[in-house]
Every structure is written in C-alpha cells, then in structure tokens.
Amino acid sequence: MVRDAEPGVIRRAHAWMSRPLPPPPAVLRQGPFRRGAFDTRGRSPRLTSLLGIALGVAFTICFATGLISHLIQHPPFWFGWPSRPVGLYRVTQGVHVATGLASVPLLGAKLWSVYPRLFAWPPVRDPANAIERASIAVLVAAALFQVISGVLNVARWYTPMPFFFTAGHYWAAWLAIGALLTHLGVKLPIVRTALSRRTPDHSAAGTLSRRGLLGTVGVAAGLITVATAGQTVAPLGPVSVLAPRRPGSGPQDLPVNKTAGGAGVRDAILDPAYRLTVVGPARTQTLSLTDLAGLAQHTVVLPISCVEGWSAVGTWTGVRLRDLVALAGADPDDAEAYVESLEARGRYRTTTVPPPHIRDPFTLLALRLGGEPLHPDHGYPARLIAPNRPGVLQTKWVGRITVRSAS
Ligand SMILES: Nc1nc2c(c(=O)[nH]1)N[C@H]1C(S)=C(S)[C@@H](COP(=O)(O)O)O[C@H]1N2
Ligand SMILES: [Mo]
C-alpha cells in the first residue's frame, strides 16, 4: 500500500511497477493458455498454502542445519563449534538430510497444485507481476536443484553433477532461501486469507479430496524419512531401503566412506617404516607404532557422522590428541593442530582441529576400533576421531600432525 507520506520516488516507482502492460495477441491463447484448460478439482489456495507452509518449514530447517555443516567445515573467524554434546552434529546433519528428503513429496505436490498458473492469461500483467513470476522461477529452479543434488549425493551418484557438489549445493541454498523469503513476503496476505476462510472443498466430487491429497503427501514424507533414518537410527535399519549406508555394515561393523585401496595408501600404511611425525613449536617427535602403543591409551564411544546423512557409533581406543600436543611442547589448552593423511591426493586428506576439540579428552588419535587394530579401510595405522565433528573431518591414515599455538 502506498500512502501520501511516502517519498515521491517510491510512489512513482510503485506507479511504474503496476503500470499495465499491453495485452498479448489473442491468437496465442491456445493449448494450455485456453480458458478452462485445467481441471481445478483438488487444487485450491488453501491446499497450496498448507503445502507452502510445510515446505517453508522443512526448507528453513534444512537451510539452517546445512549452514551449520558448512560453517563447521569452512569456519570463518567469528564461528566456533563446540566439542560437546558429542552427538550434536549427528542430530543436525540427520535433520538436514531428513528434512531435505521430506521436501521431495512436498515439493512435488506443491508444484502440482500451482503449475496451471504457469499458463495464466495474460502471462504478465505489469512489471511487478513480471518480477514476482521471475522470482518464482528462481525459487522453483533452486528448490529442484537442491533436492535433486542432495538426493544424488546421498546416493553417491556424481556422474549427473558436472560441478563440485558441496559448492553448488551451498550457493544454490542461498538462492533458494532468498527466493523463498521474497515469495513468502509476496504471498503472506494470500496465505492468511486462504487459511482464515474455510473454502468449500471443490474436489469432493473429484478423484482425490484435499484431505486425501494432504494425507498421501504426509504419508509419503513419513515413509521416505523412515526409509532413510535407518542410516542413523539402528533399529530402523532393516526398513531403511533408501539408506545407502547402515550402521553395522562394513568392516568392524562400521560403514566405510573411502577405502584404503581407493585412497591409494595400501603400501604406505603397511610399511614397517611408518612413523607418525608430530611437529610442535618446541620440538618434532617421530613415533613408531610401538611408541604410540606405549603412550597412555584411552577408550571413547563416538559416532562417525557423515555429511551424507549416515552415522554409526564405534568404540575407539588410542592416544589423546592433547597428549600428543603436549609431547610436541605446546599448551593443549591453547593449541590447534593441522592433521595430514598419508593419502597423497584427495579433498579430505587434511583437516584443522580447533582448540575446543584439542582440549576435549575424547579427541583421540585412534589406533583401535572395537578392541582390534583399525581395519585398513577405517584408517590403519592411526586416524583422528573427535566428538561432535562431521565425518569428513575425521581424517584416516594420519601421517603428520603440526601443532601451533591458537592465540
Ligand atoms: N584421509 C581421508 N580421511 C577420511 C576421508 C578421506 O576421503 N580421506 N573420508 C572422510 C569421510 S567423508 C568420512 S564420513 C569418514 C568415514 O570414516 P570410515 O570410513 O572409517 O567410516 O572418514 C573421513 N576420513
Ligand atoms: Mo563423509
């Protein structure tokens, strides 16, 4: 609404934006553009609003949890992530994947409920309407991109994605949330009216009632959640037909992300000349496996929580990272460590362990899993395991640790 008190330029801009465009030639009004081309049974502003609210909630939670995961992996100076509770990331990332998957049927139903409007006549009424329609195009494209690329990542099928998944998924998330907020701003009054007035259910005579449709979408979202939650919630494992990784599968009852063969480290990790190098501000330590086994050993029960949504708990035994930091002559209460794998190449061959995780006595350089030496695929001879961290940061086949003061 434009009031007299508003500055002249806003008033003029508003007038320009709502200036009607010339009507399109009538000969174009064919096919889906025909009047009455679509059966409106089952579709209503109320249904569209309800689906929109559900989708908005799912998308917002998915965005927030995805942003957390991104910030942990690429922390800007202002961001800190605690080491406790140990399973917090497991929950946030599980929720990220679950809300993303629940969006699949919601998005499908929502697009079905509105797609006849793609053929609204006239296609654009005025400049404001053109901008609104363009923002919907961005929203639909970004939402489809997020859902499809996310599902492909969970399925570990990268062939259809000729870009680096993480970067594409991150930037499209901002597009999606921006377009979503714009869309919400535009549609809020319509949603209010649609939900305050009980509109008659036109579809009563049709094949599918509104309640039936909402029920179907709800059940579909629920089924998809159950069919994937098993990758985190062990008792659901047997019904989790969509979960690519399940707790209890893989060597030592733990799923494997990248194998020793795949990482090209088979020879390096079995070499009797293996030494762990710990570089500190005061001195550099070179430790053999016997040396490592001679240090104080600790056992922790911690999950691996992969960004792809699966997670599984292991019982890890090894040396506290803070003890290694002290051995290298740094203060374990004020240090960070750069951990490098024997893996020569690969995106996940290094990681930085921030001060909260160095301080935490649960953070280990693990030598054993479930009481046995680590399986080669789980990072033999030594791997990082820290509480409340994404799986990608739990570096396997560790060869070198560089410790520096955090302040
Ligand atoms: N060196 C190295 N460490 C790595 C990876 C890797 O590719 N290279 N993958 C990470 C990922 S993405 C996960 S989820 C965990 C999985 O550990 P697991 O295979 O022992 O279950 O290892 C992490 N450590
Ligand atoms: Mo992972």
Side-chain angles (χ1 to χ4, degrees), residues 63-247:
F63 176 79
T65 47
L67 191 58
I68 288 174
S69 185
H70 176 87
L71 290 171
I72 300 171
Q73 291 172 66
H74 310 277
F77 73 92
W78 51 264
F79 182 81
W81 182 249
S83 65
R84 304 288 177 98
V86 299
L88 180 60
Y89 180 77
R90 193 181 192 198
V91 173
T92 63
Q93 193 61 11
V95 166
H96 177 70
V97 173
T99 48
L101 289 170
S103 299
V104 174
L106 289 173
L107 189 60
K110 168 92 175 172
L111 292 178
W112 172 82
S113 80
V114 295
Y115 89 90
R117 279 194 234 156
L118 208 52
F119 308 101
W121 195 263
V124 280
R125 288 189 306 271
D126 50 50
N129 181 236
I131 292 172
E132 190 211 319
R133 299 201 71 174
S135 87
I136 292 177
V138 172
L139 177 58
V140 171
L144 283 174
F145 179 89
Q146 287 306 78
V147 164
I148 292 170
S149 63
V151 168
L152 289 176
N153 186 54
V154 169
R156 305 173 54 81
W157 187 28
Y158 298 102
T159 326
M161 294 193 281
F163 51 87
F164 176 40
F165 164 77
T166 311
H169 201 65
Y170 174 70
W171 289 109
W174 283 106
L175 265 185
I177 202 79
L180 179 70
L181 289 176
T182 311
H183 187 61
L184 205 69
V186 172
K187 299 291 184 189
L188 209 54
I190 301 174
V191 171
R192 275 227 196 89
T193 328
L195 295 188
S196 62
R197 202 175 340 112
R198 276 225 148 251
T199 48
D201 195 336
H202 300 299
S203 61
T207 45
L208 194 60
S209 72
R210 184 195 301 141
R211 198 166 294 159
L213 183 92
L214 281 176
T216 309
V217 171
V219 168
L223 276 180
I224 288 183
T225 306
V226 169
T228 48
Q231 58 188 342
T232 295
V233 187
L236 289 177
V239 292
S240 282
V241 289
L242 296 181
R245 304 289 151 114
R246 300 177 204 178

Side-chain angles (χ1 to χ4, degrees), residues 255-257 306 310 341 343 348 378 383 391-392 394 396-397:
V256 169
N257 169 273
C306 184
W310 64 267
S341 175
E343 196 184 357
Y348 306 124
H378 286 307
R383 68 102 43 92
V392 289
Q394 311 279 32
K396 304 196 275 195
W397 316 293

Side-chain angles (χ1 to χ4, degrees), residues 308-324:
E308 287 152 19
W310 64 267
S311 61
V313 175
T315 302
W316 312 88
T317 304
V319 181
R320 279 184 181 151
L321 190 58
R322 52 176 297 135
D323 291 352
L324 291 173

Side-chain angles (χ1 to χ4, degrees), residues 8-77:
V9 352
I10 293 189
R11 231 176 313 140
R12 253 176 290 138
H14 187 270
W16 187 86
M17 295 271 281
S18 28
R19 182 192 55 166
L21 294 172
V27 295
L28 293 179
R29 190 147 204 203
Q30 294 187 15
F33 290 103
R34 245 168 38 236
R35 195 191 309 278
F38 291 94
D39 182 350
T40 54
R41 277 177 304 176
R43 296 190 179 89
S44 70
R46 188 177 165 84
L47 172 73
T48 301
S49 299
L50 288 172
L51 287 170
I53 290 171
L55 203 52
V57 169
F59 243 81
T60 306
I61 296 175
C62 198
F63 176 79
T65 47
L67 191 58
I68 288 174
S69 185
H70 176 87
L71 290 171
I72 300 171
Q73 291 172 66
H74 310 277
F77 73 92

